Amino acid sequence: MSDIIAADQLRLLIDRIERLEEEKKGIADDIKDVYGEAKSTGFDVKTTRAIVRLRKMEKHQREEAEALLETYKQALGLD
């Protein structure tokens, strides 16, 4: 009896994972379309992705990353 219950639970979990994977693919396709729209409007996609990444960061993390980048640029004579 418990083997049947465990198999049913496993089947339900697998079904949920598969549905979520399908949703994730749909969302990824939507994001790709929005970046394509940004590109067709004249925005640089690489820069747009960088801005999205920066906006995900906390302010102190962003400031730390920018300071580190600046330090590396100076060390390499890029400034």
Side-chain angles (χ1 to χ4, degrees):
M1 181 76 166
S2 67
D3 288 343
I4 294 171
I5 292 172
D8 288 343
Q9 286 177 325
L10 178 60
R11 190 174 297 106
L12 289 172
L13 290 170
I14 298 298
D15 288 345
R16 283 175 53 198
I17 291 168
E18 289 173 343
R19 274 194 308 276
L20 290 169
E21 288 290 342
E22 287 175 23
E23 290 177 25
K24 183 170 81 170
K25 184 188 179 319
I27 290 171
D29 288 343
D30 291 346
I31 292 170
K32 183 179 174 182
D33 290 344
V34 173
Y35 279 116
E37 183 180 337
K39 183 177 181 176
S40 70
T41 308
F43 293 103
D44 180 69
V45 173
K46 187 174 180 179
T47 305
T48 304
R49 287 183 188 276
I51 293 295
V52 169
R53 251 189 331 274
L54 289 172
R55 286 175 52 121
K56 288 180 185 178
M57 293 180 180
E58 297 288 330
K59 183 178 181 186
H60 71 278
Q61 292 172 318
R62 189 172 50 249
E63 289 171 347
E64 185 178 310
E66 290 171 353
L68 192 56
L69 177 62
E70 196 58 40
T71 300
Y72 285 16
K73 285 170 43 179
Q74 288 177 2
L76 297 171
L78 296 174
D79 271 344

